[in-house]
C-alpha cells in the first residue's frame, strides 16, 4: 500500500535538530555536469543546496529527453556530462540500451531506493515517482462505476475519455505495463476499445486532458498525478478551478495496482568524475531532497518513510503496481507497435 508515513515529520524534526549540533562537513573541490530532461527550475534549488553542503558545483544542461540521448550518443567519449536525469523508465531504459550509462556502485542508493524503482543491473535509480490513475469529473461520474484500466474499454464509456497521444512515453509505459500483466493480444483488444471511447483525437499534454474534462469535453482523463497536483497549487485561478473539478480514482486495487513511473538518473559511461557524481545521486535520494521534491513538484518520494505533500495526501492512499520499472522499457517497442495497429494517434 502506498501511503503517507505517519512518523516522517518527527524524524525530520530530529534530523534538523541533530544537524544544528554537528560540525559542518568539509567542503569538497570539483563540480558535476548534469544533462537534465527536467526543467532547470525544478532541480536547481536542490543542486544549489548540494553545492552549499559539499562545495561541489553543479552545471546543468536542460533539453528534451530524446535530444539529450542523441547528444550523448554524438559526443561519445568526449561528452562533458557526468550524470543524466530524465523522466520515465522508458527513457532511462533507452539510455541504458544506447550504452551511455554505466552501473552505479552505491550501497546508499541500494538501501534508499526500492528494487522496483531502479534498474536491476544498477544502471539507473528512480528519484521521484508519479502515478497515472483514472481522473473523473466530479458530479458527472460516480466513482463506483470505475474499477480498472481494462474497464475503460467498455461500451459505457463511449466518447467519454481524454488521453494524450501514443507518441508520449507515459502512455507507452502504461501500455507496456498492461502487456506485462495481460499479454499482447488482450492488451491490443483493450487499446482498440479505449481508442473507440475517446471523446476527441489525442492532443496536448496531461494538463490539457484535465482541462478538457473540466470543460465538459470528456468525463474521464488519464494523466499523471503531479500535473493535477501542480494545477491544484497554481496561482492561476482557471488552472485551480479546472483541477478542483476533478476526482482521482485508483484503478486495479484488487489485482496488480495502479500504474506508476519515475523520474530517475544514471551515471554517464565515460565520466571520469565518478565520486562527485555519485555523491550528487546519493544526495538526491536523501530524506531532505526527497521531501523537497514532493513539496515543490507534487511527485511521490521513492524513498519509503518520507513525508508526502498535503496535496498528494489529499489524493488518497493506493496500491501501486510492483512490476520492476526496468521491464517497461523492455516492452516499449512492442507497446508502440501495438498502439499504431489500433490507430491510437
Amino acid at each position: 500500500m502506498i501511503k503517507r508515513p505517519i512518523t516522517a515529520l518527527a524524524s525530520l524534526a530530529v534530523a534538523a535538530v541533530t544537524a544544528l549540533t554537528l560540525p559542518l562537513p568539509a567542503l569538497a573541490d570539483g563540480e558535476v555536469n548534469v544533462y537534465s530532461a527536467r526543467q532547470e527550475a525544478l532541480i536547481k534549488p536542490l543542486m544549489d543546496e548540494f553545492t552549499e553542503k559539499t562545495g561541489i558545483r553543479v552545471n546543468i544542461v536542460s533539453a528534451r529527453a530524446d535530444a539529450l540521448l542523441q547528444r550523448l550518443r554524438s559526443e561519445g567519449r568526449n561528452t562533458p556530462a557526468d550524470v543524466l536525469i530524465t523522466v520515465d523508465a522508458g527513457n532511462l531504459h533507452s539510455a541504458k540500451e544506447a550504452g551511455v550509462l554505466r552501473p552505479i556502485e552505491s550501497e546508499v542508493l541500494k538501501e534508499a531506493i526500492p528494487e522496483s524503482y531502479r534498474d536491476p543491473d544498477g544502471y539507473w535509480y528512480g528519484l521521484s515517482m508519479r502515478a497515472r490513475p483514472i481522473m473523473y469529473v466530479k458530479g458527472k461520474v460516480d466513482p463506483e462505476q470505475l474499477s480498472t484500466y481494462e474497464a475503460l474499454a467498455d461500451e459505457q464509456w463511449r466518447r467519454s475519455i481524454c488521453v494524450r497521444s501514443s507518441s508520449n512515453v507515459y502512455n507507452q509505459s502504461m501500455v507496456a505495463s498492461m502487456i506485462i500483466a495481460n499479454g499482447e493480444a488482450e492488451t491490443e483488444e483493450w487499446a482498440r476499445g479505449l481508442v473507440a471511447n475517446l471523446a476527441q483525437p489525442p492532443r496536448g499534454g496531461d494538463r490539457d486532458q484535465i482541462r478538457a474534462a473540466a470543460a465538459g469535453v470528456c468525463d474521464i482523463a488519464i494523466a499523471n498525478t503531479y500535473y493535477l497536483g501542480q494545477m491544484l497549487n497554481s496561482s492561476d485561478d482557471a488552472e485551480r478551478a479546472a483541477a478542483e473539478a476533478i476526482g482521482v480514482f485508483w484503478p486495479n486495487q484488487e489485482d496488480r495496482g495502479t500504474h506508476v513511473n519515475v523520474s530517475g538518473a544514471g551515471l554517464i559511461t565515460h565520466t571520469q568524475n565518478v565520486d562527485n557524481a555519485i555523491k550528487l545521486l546519493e544526495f538526491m535520494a536523501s530524506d531532505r531532497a526527497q521531501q523537497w521534491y514532493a513539496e515543490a513538484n507534487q511527485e511521490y518520494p521513492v524513498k519509503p518513510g518520507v513525508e508526502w505533500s498535503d496535496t498528494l495526501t489529499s489524493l488518497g492512499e493506493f496500491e501501486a503496481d510492483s512490476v520492476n520499472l526496468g521491464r517497461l522499457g523492455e516492452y516499449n517497442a512492442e507497446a508502440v507497435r501495438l498502439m499504431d495497429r489500433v490507430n491510437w494517434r
Side-chain angles (χ1 to χ4, degrees):
M1 173 68 70
I2 302 295
K3 57 186 178 181
R4 181 181 185 175
I6 62 174
T7 60
L9 286 178
S11 297
L12 287 171
V14 170
V17 172
T18 302
L20 293 176
T21 65
L22 292 176
L24 292 175
L27 294 184
D29 294 329
E31 58 186 15
V32 178
N33 295 325
V34 175
Y35 281 9
S36 174
R38 312 230 64 173
Q39 296 177 13
E40 184 169 339
L42 295 178
I43 63 171
K44 191 174 188 306
L46 278 180
M47 303 297 100
D48 290 344
E49 186 169 330
F50 172 74
T51 298
E52 185 177 345
K53 288 174 66 70
T54 65
I56 301 170
R57 186 175 66 184
V58 181
N59 306 308
I60 303 171
V61 173
S62 297
R64 292 176 57 89
D66 53 354
L68 289 175
L69 180 55
Q70 182 57 46
R71 179 169 177 169
L72 286 166
R73 284 170 165 161
S74 299
E75 291 173 342
R77 292 181 177 276
N78 297 318
T79 183
D82 303 309
V83 170
L84 173 67
I85 297 177
T86 192
V87 294
D88 199 277
N91 288 328
L92 290 160
H93 180 79
S94 294
K96 175 186 175 181
E97 289 296 292
V100 302
L101 301 181
R102 62 193 289 179
I104 302 168
E105 293 296 332
S106 169
E107 291 304 316
V108 171
L109 291 175
K110 288 178 182 178
E111 183 175 342
I113 311 303
E115 288 187 13
S116 56
Y117 303 144
R118 52 183 161 98
D119 177 65
D121 302 315
Y123 281 82
W124 56 261
Y125 284 80
L127 297 177
S128 62
M129 187 185 81
R130 68 285 301 272
R132 197 164 182 78
I134 298 170
M135 299 185 185
Y136 63 92
V137 180
K138 297 174 182 175
K140 289 184 69 176
V141 174
D142 182 350
E144 293 293 324
Q145 297 175 278
L146 299 169
S147 57
T148 63
Y149 294 108
E150 288 83 349
L152 293 180
D154 292 350
E155 176 72 27
Q156 73 176 107
W157 303 117
R158 192 69 70 199
R159 300 185 65 81
S160 297
I161 299 171
C162 287
V163 66
R164 67 198 292 179
S165 76
S166 62
S167 65
N168 174 251
V169 71
Y170 304 154
N171 283 337
Q172 293 168 9
S173 288
M174 181 179 70
V175 172
S177 75
M178 297 189 71
I179 293 172
I180 293 168
N182 300 326
E184 183 176 359
E186 186 175 329
T187 300
E188 182 167 340
E189 182 180 356
W190 166 81
R192 201 175 300 279
L194 181 75
V195 169
N197 286 347
L198 295 184
Q200 63 178 3
R203 62 172 67 97
D206 278 12
R207 288 187 184 87
D208 295 302
Q209 314 313 312
I210 295 169
R211 293 189 195 105
V217 174
C218 49
D219 300 333
I220 289 172
I222 301 175
N224 283 351
T225 43
Y226 72 95
Y227 289 111
L228 181 66
Q230 290 171 1
M231 292 174 71
L232 287 169
N233 288 278
S234 174
S235 59
D236 185 299
D237 292 343
E239 286 277 281
R240 286 200 314 277
E244 288 166 358
I246 301 299
V248 172
F249 181 83
W250 301 107
N252 296 84
Q253 294 302 280
E254 300 302 319
D255 46 66
R256 68 182 181 277
T258 297
H259 172 62
V260 298
N261 212 310
V262 292
S263 68
L267 194 62
I268 301 302
T269 300
H270 298 297
T271 180
Q272 301 299 310
N273 194 17
V274 174
D275 289 346
N276 285 346
I278 290 179
K279 285 178 183 176
L280 176 61
L281 295 180
E282 290 175 347
F283 171 77
M284 295 291 285
S286 68
D287 286 6
R288 161 63 185 159
Q290 289 281 295
Q291 189 177 38
W292 181 90
Y293 214 78
E295 293 286 351
N297 204 43
Q298 304 304 326
E299 291 190 79
Y300 297 97
V302 291
K303 185 177 182 180
V306 176
E307 187 79 2
W308 295 4
S309 70
D310 289 342
T311 299
L312 292 175
T313 300
S314 72
L315 302 182
E317 299 173 1
F318 63 99
E319 192 75 32
D321 191 340
S322 62
V323 66
N324 184 285
L325 297 185
R327 298 189 66 197
L328 302 184
E330 295 172 8
Y331 283 85
N332 179 268
E334 191 172 333
V336 171
R337 289 193 296 268
L338 184 155
M339 296 163 88
D340 284 345
R341 289 197 297 271
V342 303
N343 294 313
W344 183 341
R345 303 303 183 199

